[in-house]
Amino acid sequence: MTKTYANLIDGEMVTTSDTFEVVNPANEEVVGLVPSCGKDELDRAVAAARRAFKSWRKTSAEERQKVVQGIAAAIKDNGDELFRLLTTEQGKPHAQAQMEIFGAAGLAAAQSTLTLDDVINQDDDTRLSRTRRVPVGVVGGIVPWNFPVMMAIQKIVPALVSGCTIVLKPSPFTPLTTLRIAELIKDIVPAGTVNIITGPDELGPLITEHPDIDKITFTGSTATGKKIMEGASRDLKRITLELGGNDASIVLPDADVEKVAEQLFWSSFSNAGQICVAAKRIYIHEDIYDDLSKAIAEYAKGVVVGDGSQQGTGVGPIQNKKQFDRVCELIQDAKDQGYQFLTGGDVDPSGTGYYVPITILDNPPEDARIVAEEQFGPVMPLMKFSSVEEAIERANNSEYGLAGAVWTKDADKGVEIAEQLETGTVWVNEYLHISPLAPFGGHKQSGFGAEYGIDGLKEFTYPQVITVKRDADI
Ligand code: NAD
C-alpha cells in the first residue's frame, strides 16, 4: 500500500483528509501520498511559528547551535534511507542523491556555528552606539523540486540559527524526503520552530500574502519569483529570491581538451541538467572547438541515461512531466530550425518515465531558443567564439545573472574574465562548488539577496542600532 506522509505542525505529525500523489519520474508509479494543505493548515502552522518565535528568539546561540547540529546528525545518521527515497521521488542517480543528503547534513553542521556579532559604531565619552541583528520573525520558505532537501535545509537552518521560526513548503513534486526528515527532527526542534506543510502551487501565494509571515525565502523559477515579489509587496515582507539562470562557460584555447571535456560534460548534465547553476551555454574558442566538441560528444556516449536507482546510471529522468514537455519542446524547436546535433535529440514520448537522451547541439545561433532560454534539462549547446571580448559580451547577453565559469591554464586570465561576468558566482577551472560559508545569489533576473554564509544569515534579521548618550544631563 502506498505510504501517506504527514506534515509537521507545532511539533506534531499531522495529516489531512485531502491528499495528493507523488510520482517516481523513472517509472511514473505513485510512491507516496501527502497532505494537501490550504488556508486552515497554513494558519495553524503560522500561529505555531508565531508562538514559538516568542521564546526561540531569546535562546542563546549555543542552544540554537545544538538544535541545528541535531538536525545535521539526524540527516547524516539516516542518510542511507534518505538518499534512496530522494532518488525515488526526484529521479537523480543514487550517487548524486547521496551527495545531496550528506551535503545537506554538512551544510547544517557548517552553518550551525555562524553568529552575527554586534558591531560597535561609536564608543567614546559622549556615546555608545551598537548595531545588533534582530531576527525578523516568522519566515515562509518555498522550495523547488531539483534539490528538494538541500533547498529545504538551506532555508530551515539559517532561520533557526538567526532566531527565526519557519513554515516551509516543499515542491508538490518532491515533498517525501523532506517530510521524512520532518519525522526525524520532530523531537529535536522545539515545537512550532519548524513547520513543514505540503500543498499544490496554490498554497504558495497564501504563504506569500499571509499577514503574519514576516519574510519569504524562495528558490524557484523567475516567473514565480516575480509573483512572489508582487504578493510580498502588499505588506512589504522581506524577500530573498534565488531564481533561474542561463549560465555561460567560456573555454579558452589553452585548455586541455581531454581533461576539460569530462568536467564540462558534468557541469551541464549533473542532475540531468536540472541545476540552477548548471552550464547552459558553453562558449569554446574556435581553435579548439572541433576537437573539444568531439571529445564531449564522445564522452557522452559512455554515460547511461536511466533509472537513478540502477547501478551505472549517470543521468536520471527529468523530474516531472511538465518539465519533460518543456525540454522536448525546446529540442523540437531546435530540430525545426535545422540546428545540428552532435548527439541526442530523439525523445521517445511513448516510453514510461520522463527520459530525455543526452542532447548536445553544434554551434546553434545565439538567438536560438535552446541558447537564449534556461533549458533545465540534459541539453547543452556548444558555441564557437573568436575573441575573449566577444565571449564575454555573449555570456553577459542574458536576462539572467546567476553563475558562470572560465576554463584556462592561465588562472590570472581566468580571474580577469570572471570579474567581467555579470553573475553572482563565477568558477575558474571548476564547477558547482558552493561553500556553505560564502554568499550565494544571483544578479539581474536571477534574483536578489543571498543565501549561505554571514550574508545569507543577515537576510533573516534586521539591523537595530541602540545608542546610549553617555554624557547626558538628565
Ligand atoms: P517553480 O517556480 O515552478 O516552483 C517553486 C516553488 O514555488 C514550488 O514549491 C511551487 O509550488 C511554488 N509556487 C508555484 N507558484 C507559486 C506562486 N504563485 N506563489 C508562491 N509559490 C509558488 O520552480 P520549479 O519548476 O520548482 O524549479 C525550477 C526553477 O528553479 C528553475 O528556474 C531553476 O533555475 C530555479 N532554481 C533556482 C535556484 C537558485 O538558487 N537560484 C536553485 C534551484 C532552482
Side-chain angles (χ1 to χ4, degrees):
M1 210 176 88
T2 311
K3 178 175 171 179
T4 302
Y5 289 74
N7 283 182
L8 175 60
I9 300 180
D10 204 10
E12 301 293 333
M13 298 309 293
V14 294
T15 50
T16 52
S17 52
D18 200 10
T19 56
F20 63 92
E21 295 175 340
V22 178
V23 165
N24 180 346
N27 54 24
E28 301 179 46
E29 282 170 12
V30 176
V31 284
L33 295 168
V34 298
S36 183
C37 295
K39 186 174 178 310
D40 289 350
E41 293 80 12
L42 174 63
D43 283 347
R44 272 173 42 216
V46 174
R50 178 63 56 196
R51 274 193 304 277
F53 179 59
K54 282 189 190 147
S55 46
W56 183 250
R57 67 179 302 176
K58 293 186 190 144
T59 50
S60 67
E62 290 71 28
E63 277 173 79
R64 294 178 204 167
Q65 196 172 326
K66 221 173 119 203
V67 168
V68 172
Q69 285 173 354
I71 296 174
I75 297 173
K76 193 167 165 224
D77 294 348
N78 295 277
D80 282 356
E81 175 200 339
L82 292 172
F83 87 71
R84 286 172 208 282
L85 180 58
L86 179 58
T87 293
T88 307
E89 65 172 335
Q90 206 285 333
K92 63 184 67 185
H94 272 164
Q96 294 174 33
Q98 253 171 327
M99 271 160 58
E100 177 169 351
I101 295 296
F102 290 101
L107 178 128
Q111 291 190 348
S112 69
T113 55
L114 289 175
T115 49
L116 292 171
D117 298 328
D118 290 1
V119 173
I120 301 299
N121 310 306
Q122 186 181 345
D123 182 6
D124 56 25
D125 292 345
T126 50
R127 162 172 311 114
L128 174 63
S129 166
R130 172 174 67 93
T131 305
R132 59 192 283 266
R133 306 293 313 196
V134 186
V136 289
V138 175
V139 174
I142 303 177
V143 299
W145 44 259
N146 61 337
F147 281 85
V149 172
M150 185 58 101
M151 303 287 153
I153 294 303
Q154 74 190 45
K155 303 210 179 307
I156 291 171
V157 163
L160 292 181
V161 169
S162 64
C164 294
T165 57
I166 186 164
V167 176
L168 182 102
K169 187 190 92 59
S171 165
F173 293 114
T174 51
L176 302 185
T177 318
T178 310
L179 293 181
R180 178 67 188 117
I181 291 173
E183 256 172 23
L184 294 170
I185 65 170
K186 178 175 86 69
D187 299 322
I188 294 172
V189 297
T193 53
V194 178
N195 305 274
I196 303 181
I197 59 170
T198 47
D201 282 352
E202 289 69 32
L203 180 59
L206 297 178
I207 295 175
T208 311
E209 292 163 27
H210 198 289
D212 221 15
I213 290 181
D214 303 287
K215 174 195 167 67
I216 300 292
T217 171
F218 171 74
T219 302
S221 64
T222 296
T224 306
K226 288 177 186 175
K227 289 182 196 156
I228 287 187
M229 193 165 180
E230 209 182 313
S233 72
R234 296 183 192 176
D235 54 2
L236 289 183
K237 283 188 179 64
R238 275 56 190 141
I239 49 175
T240 303
L241 300 177
E242 297 288 358
L243 310 177
N246 194 2
D247 315 77
S249 289
I250 298 175
V251 191
L252 299 193
D254 64 355
D256 184 307
V257 165
E258 290 306 322
K259 286 184 184 152
V260 93
E262 180 176 346
Q263 298 189 62
L264 281 172
F265 177 88
W266 288 112
S267 74
S268 260
F269 291 102
S270 292
N271 207 31
Q274 304 163 113
I275 308 185
C276 53
V277 292
K280 297 177 184 120
R281 298 176 288 153
I282 300 198
Y283 296 98
I284 302 173
H285 192 271
E286 58 189 3
D287 287 359
I288 56 166
Y289 181 87
D290 290 345
D291 288 347
L292 183 52
S293 56
K294 259 190 226 124
I296 296 172
E298 199 52 41
Y299 182 83
K301 282 185 198 151
V303 177
V304 177
V305 178
D307 184 333
S309 67
Q310 299 302 308
Q311 214 175 359
T313 296
V315 172
I318 297 280
Q319 199 284 319
N320 60 74
K321 175 78 166 67
K322 191 173 153 213
Q323 184 62 21
F324 172 78
D325 288 344
R326 185 183 143 64
V327 175
C328 291
E329 185 196 314
L330 283 178
I331 292 174
Q332 188 55 48
D333 176 75
K335 282 181 161 178
D336 293 346
Q337 303 296 327
Y339 305 144
Q340 298 301 304
F341 288 71
L342 286 162
T343 180
D346 293 317
V347 186
D348 174 8
S350 63
T352 306
Y354 310 132
Y355 295 106
V356 171
I358 292 163
T359 298
I360 303 175
L361 279 101
D362 184 11
N363 205 24
E366 201 64 14
D367 62 355
R369 280 189 63 197
I370 213 146
V371 178
E373 297 179 23
E374 182 188 39
Q375 313 102 8
F376 224 61
V379 176
M380 164 158 84
L382 305 179
M383 275 89 63
K384 213 181 276 189
F385 73 88
S386 313
S387 74
V388 166
E389 293 68 31
E390 174 208 336
I392 294 170
E393 200 179 315
R394 289 167 71 183
N396 285 336
N397 183 24
S398 169
E399 66 196 18
Y400 296 111
L402 195 57
V406 187
W407 299 86
T408 171
K409 284 199 171 65
D410 182 348
D412 291 342
K413 180 78 183 160
V415 171
E416 194 188 310
I417 296 171
E419 287 176 354
Q420 295 175 71
L421 294 181
E422 297 163 353
T423 59
T425 295
V426 190
W427 290 285
V428 178
N429 296 333
E430 68 167 346
Y431 215 82
L432 300 177
H433 174 263
I434 296 177
S435 161
L437 304 178
F440 174 80
H443 180 41
K444 301 192 220 171
Q445 292 195 37
S446 290
F448 52 79
E451 290 192 287
Y452 292 15
I454 288 293
D455 297 81
L457 201 55
K458 276 186 182 166
E459 302 236 342
F460 290 81
T461 67
Y462 66 92
Q464 181 188 53
V465 179
I466 297 181
T467 305
V468 180
K469 186 87 163 87
R470 278 188 167 139
D471 58 357
D473 185 16
I474 53 157

